[in-house]
Amino acid sequence: MDKFDGLLAIARTAYARGDWHAAYRQLSQARALSELETGDLSLLGRAAWWLGQVKESLEVSEDVYHRFQDDGDASDAAMKALHLGLLWFIRGDVVIASGWVSRARGLLQGLPEGPEHGYLLYLDASLALSLEDLRPARETAAKLQDLGRSLRVPALTSFGLVLAGLADLRSGSTVSGFAQLDEAMLPVLAGRLPPEWAGEIYCTVIHACHELADLHRMRAWTDATEQWGEQFVGDVVYAGICRIHRLQLLSIEGGWDAAEHAIEQSGAELVGRNNWVAGEAYYQLGEIRRLRGDSSGAAKAYARARELGTEPQPGESLLLHAAGKNEAAWAGLCAALAGRDRLAGARLLVAGVEIALALGHFDEAERLCTRLEETAAVFATAGFRAWAGQARSAILIAQSQHAEALPVLQAVVHEYRSLHARYDTARAYEQLAQAHLGLGQSSVAAADSATALAIYRELGALPDVRRLDGGRLSGGLPGGLTEREADVLAFTAAGASNKQTAEALFISQKTVGRHLANIFAKIGVSSRTAAAAWAHEHGLQPRR
């Protein structure tokens, strides 16, 4: 066996066991020696994609497509076109994905019905779903399950269940919807689907869980996806997607220090590979920064999310609300709600109630709250119930109906605790304090407020600490610094290195550097020495 044949043998074996690094390396070396056959060139393109070499993967895969087409192999050319459609769809480019799907459709016309027709049906319906059109999903689901059974292709049966499950979920039939998604995952877990398509199903299921605020199921499927991905050596795309979902959960649970740097890095790595998930990452980054009082950092993250195709709401409007720009906040939120269906709009409604109340738009607050309560009743997830209760209690407190607000808030606290949602739990305790204070129960109110404040401090939710704490923060900080910036500057002025400051504050060195850059700009200095002098002049001292 000569060197070329030896490299191919090793590469094929490596690809079969999911070792993308070895497969890519050996195939690339073989390609440098001689032209690869079409099947081996296809493996090279797929291995490159798994390693995150997206541009090379797409170029190689297009070459494979044209080879099949030139050879008159319509079936394989159609399947490669669908493969390319999937990759562009995963990247978030629906227009180019649709173009490849159209090519596949043209190639398959007049051919006997085979598995390729099922893949076409699934990708067509998935594209429609991304545009919130449920009709193709419902019509296609039954066809795919019948086709999967008749052709004995488990992937098609799984695709049919995914589409039926998603259609049910979006229609409010969450029990049947999730049951079908769980069933769809069985052949995926058994390794009976091509890995790219299996990974797409995993991501679809996890995204559905996140959209419905079903965090228990989201955690379970994120665990399952991570375990599934362990079989592959060198996977960048799905490992990165799982990392984002894990960091989203960590953010909800309150691990902001660990999540902030990691989610920014992971989001950047996914740009061009999966822009939808990258956009979600930058939105979550904006949320962490907003809640920590880093307004400029939050605005930048939200802007990046929008560039990647993710609407940064309700965070962007809440950022404006925090700055006292309530009219702009309300306009932005209303514009975002106008383009969303009942399910997609649910996440915006709590913020809408808060901003409407701040503006004195009580009728609008009631309208949005009622809409959220109706949505929660239909979809019946813990997250939606908690959001609806939070919105209703805010209205009751604004109407001085404190006794009526108490049982609602107690249920909200229970739901948020069960979801491990730390910041939301603190917000609910703060509302409890308002309700108890309205009833004249000052000692109970003080305990609730202390609980909220302790959680805010633990999280580093500095604007909320500033609002509740009567100490150092009550008078504001010099130079317009945020609390975290003041802490970083105090350690720097005391002679701490970036590494020592990072360890003391449980943040990354990169985050310390970013804070210092913001500090220098705010206080008008250009060196650590000048910043230290400014800090001593304004009495900033390390607090821990």
Side-chain angles (χ1 to χ4, degrees):
M1 181 183 293
D2 62 19
K3 183 177 181 181
F4 179 77
D5 290 336
L7 288 170
L8 290 182
I10 295 170
R12 291 164 185 164
T13 302
Y15 190 92
R17 68 172 182 266
D19 187 345
W20 315 125
H21 270 305
Y24 177 79
R25 184 172 57 251
Q26 303 301 323
L27 286 166
S28 296
Q29 291 176 14
R31 193 185 188 193
L33 296 174
S34 181
E35 185 176 33
L36 296 179
E37 292 182 359
T38 303
D40 292 319
L41 189 63
S42 180
L43 295 184
L44 174 61
R46 294 171 76 174
W49 183 80
W50 283 95
L51 296 176
Q53 307 294 331
V54 176
K55 185 174 184 293
E56 179 182 1
S57 173
L58 293 171
E59 289 174 351
V60 170
S61 296
E62 284 197 38
D63 189 8
V64 172
Y65 165 78
H66 288 299
R67 284 196 191 183
F68 283 135
Q69 195 175 39
D70 292 343
D71 291 341
D73 190 342
S75 179
D76 282 342
M79 197 62 212
K80 182 52 66 175
L82 290 167
H83 174 79
L84 280 159
L86 175 69
L87 300 191
W88 282 104
F89 182 54
I90 290 170
R91 289 190 71 188
D93 198 320
V94 174
V95 173
I96 297 180
S98 297
W100 280 106
V101 170
S102 294
R103 285 189 177 182
R105 185 181 299 107
L107 288 164
L108 291 175
Q109 284 180 355
L111 293 183
E113 195 168 58
E116 300 83 7
H117 293 80
Y119 280 86
L120 171 62
L121 287 169
Y122 175 67
L123 198 48
D124 236 347
S126 296
L127 288 166
L129 270 177
S130 73
L131 300 174
E132 299 182 357
D133 182 359
L134 293 182
R135 180 182 48 79
R138 292 197 180 282
E139 294 175 354
T140 301
K143 293 179 185 177
L144 278 170
Q145 292 182 63
D146 290 341
L147 194 60
R149 283 189 289 268
S150 64
L151 297 176
R152 298 189 178 182
V153 178
L156 304 187
T157 305
S158 185
F159 291 158
L161 287 165
V162 168
L163 293 175
L166 291 176
D168 278 355
L169 285 181
R170 300 197 70 85
S171 300
S173 302
T174 51
V175 174
S176 65
F178 277 125
Q180 290 177 100
L181 290 179
D182 289 345
E183 186 180 350
M185 295 305 297
L186 296 178
V188 175
L189 291 168
R192 302 181 72 183
L193 270 71
E196 296 91 342
W197 296 83
E200 196 275 332
I201 290 178
Y202 268 121
C203 292
T204 297
V205 172
I206 293 172
H207 177 75
C209 296
H210 183 254
E211 189 173 33
L212 281 156
D214 190 334
L215 302 184
H216 299 301
R217 196 177 294 267
M218 183 177 173
R219 288 186 183 94
W221 279 119
T222 300
D223 289 341
T225 307
E226 288 171 338
Q227 292 172 18
W228 170 80
E230 288 173 358
Q231 65 186 298
F232 307 124
V233 180
D235 166 32
V236 169
V237 177
Y238 286 122
I241 292 170
C242 281
R243 194 177 305 118
I244 295 299
H245 292 314
R246 179 64 65 194
L247 290 168
Q248 285 176 322
L249 290 166
L250 180 62
S251 300
I252 292 167
E253 293 161 3
W256 294 353
D257 280 329
E260 183 173 1
H261 171 66
I263 205 164
E264 181 176 20
Q265 180 179 1
S266 297
E269 290 172 352
L270 278 180
V271 172
R273 296 168 179 169
N274 189 314
N275 287 346
W276 281 339
V277 180
E280 288 183 13
Y282 278 101
Y283 177 76
Q284 189 63 57
L285 177 65
E287 288 292 270
I288 294 172
R289 289 177 175 175
R290 174 178 67 83
L291 295 174
R292 300 187 86 156
D294 181 2
S295 299
S296 62
K300 290 176 183 176
Y302 291 144
R304 186 64 174 131
R306 178 174 281 109
E307 290 171 1
L308 293 166
T310 297
E311 177 69 37
Q313 292 287 4
E316 197 170 59
S317 285
L318 288 171
L319 187 63
L320 291 168
H321 172 51
K325 301 176 181 178
N326 290 326
E327 293 289 353
W330 177 248
L333 199 70
C334 289
L337 275 170
R340 300 198 184 193
D341 64 14
R342 178 174 58 178
L343 177 57
R347 195 168 293 271
L348 281 65
L349 295 175
V350 177
V353 169
E354 180 180 345
I355 296 168
L357 289 174
L359 287 166
H361 298 339
F362 297 106
D363 289 344
E364 286 297 311
E366 178 61 37
R367 180 180 65 82
L368 295 180
C369 183
T370 300
R371 177 176 167 182
L372 181 53
E373 288 171 330
E374 291 171 348
T375 301
V378 169
F379 292 99
T381 63
F384 281 15
R385 287 194 299 269
W387 294 347
Q390 182 180 342
R392 175 54 63 193
S393 61
I395 290 176
L396 290 171
I397 289 171
Q399 295 171 336
S400 298
Q401 298 182 45
H402 302 106
E404 292 83 351
L406 279 180
V408 178
L409 282 168
Q410 287 161 354
V412 169
V413 168
H414 174 77
E415 296 284 18
Y416 279 142
R417 278 180 165 174
S418 73
L419 294 170
H420 308 292
R422 293 289 286 156
Y423 180 79
D424 293 312
T425 299
R427 288 293 303 272
Y429 269 110
E430 190 175 349
Q431 286 182 300
L432 273 172
Q434 294 169 353
H436 280 124
L437 192 61
L439 292 171
Q441 300 169 351
S442 56
S443 60
V444 181
D448 290 333
S449 183
T451 300
L453 181 57
I455 297 173
Y456 289 146
R457 280 178 172 153
E458 175 192 328
L459 295 173
L462 302 179
D464 297 294
V465 174
R466 212 180 272 113
R467 188 180 64 257
L468 292 187
D469 191 3
R472 169 188 173 188
L473 299 178
S474 60
L477 287 163
L481 299 180
T482 67
E483 187 65 14
R484 180 47 57 95
E485 288 170 350
D487 285 335
V488 168
L489 179 54
F491 275 97
T492 300
S497 66
N498 283 14
K499 184 174 184 295
Q500 290 167 330
T501 300
E503 291 172 350
L505 297 177
F506 303 100
I507 57 179
S508 70
Q509 291 185 58
K510 183 176 180 180
T511 301
V512 171
R514 181 171 56 76
H515 282 314
L516 284 173
N518 291 337
I519 291 165
F520 285 11
K522 285 183 178 182
I523 66 177
V525 301
S526 57
S527 70
R528 295 172 74 95
T529 301
W534 189 95
H536 290 308
E537 180 183 341
H538 289 84
L540 290 180
Q541 299 291 329
R543 294 190 301 158
R544 47 178 173 162

